[in-house]
Amino acid sequence: MSSITREAPSGQLSSRPDVESGGPLLNSRGHVSTGLASYYWQDQMTATGERFDRRDMTAAHPTLPFGTRVRVTRVDTGGSVVVRINDRGPFTPGRVIDLSERAAEELGMTGNGLTNVRLDVVSR
């Protein structure tokens, strides 16, 4: 089981076990999580009912409310993007977020397909 990192009220970081069914329980501004990001490009409907547009700055997350904005930062380079949650996923163990193709391109991760990231909730 992976662990997540949360920002405690004091500003210190702490870890606790991940939840089996849905990944990190990010739920408000200031919460932080780290893990593996992937991306997708397939034409489909999102869980919000909107058509997925691989050129939008959007992402899938298992638990965050739809419309939440999340800063996704590559751990190795420090590059970051802000995405809007509009879908559910990823459904592969160990992954914390599924980015649109455009967000992945801006992070420079399309060659590998996966990268370690930090997620910061910036607004709900």
Side-chain angles (χ1 to χ4, degrees):
M1 189 180 324
S2 64
S3 66
I4 61 173
T5 304
R6 291 192 181 274
E7 188 172 307
S10 66
Q12 297 176 347
L13 296 178
S14 63
S15 295
R16 73 177 189 77
D18 205 350
V19 176
E20 285 288 331
S21 62
L25 290 176
L26 298 176
N27 59 17
S28 66
R29 187 180 173 139
H31 282 207
V32 175
S33 174
T34 58
L36 199 57
S38 52
Y39 78 98
Y40 64 126
W41 63 92
Q42 301 87 346
D43 186 31
Q44 62 189 36
M45 295 300 288
T46 67
T48 59
E50 65 186 90
R51 176 141 317 270
F52 174 70
D53 183 343
R54 65 190 184 133
R55 304 313 302 159
D56 283 346
M57 296 296 287
T58 58
H61 188 275
T63 59
L64 282 171
F66 296 132
T68 300
R69 301 220 180 253
V70 178
R71 178 174 294 107
V72 181
T73 305
R74 275 187 71 150
V75 173
D76 60 349
T77 67
S80 69
V81 296
V82 175
V83 295
R84 176 178 55 90
I85 303 300
N86 73 337
D87 205 2
R88 290 292 173 231
F91 301 109
T92 303
R95 297 186 190 173
V96 296
I97 197 164
D98 236 350
L99 302 170
S100 67
E101 185 176 39
R102 178 173 170 212
E105 287 171 352
E106 291 196 19
L107 284 178
M109 62 174 277
T110 56
N112 293 337
L114 301 171
T115 196
N116 286 307
V117 296
R118 171 185 162 129
L119 307 181
D120 295 278
V121 174
V122 294
S123 71
R124 283 188 50 179

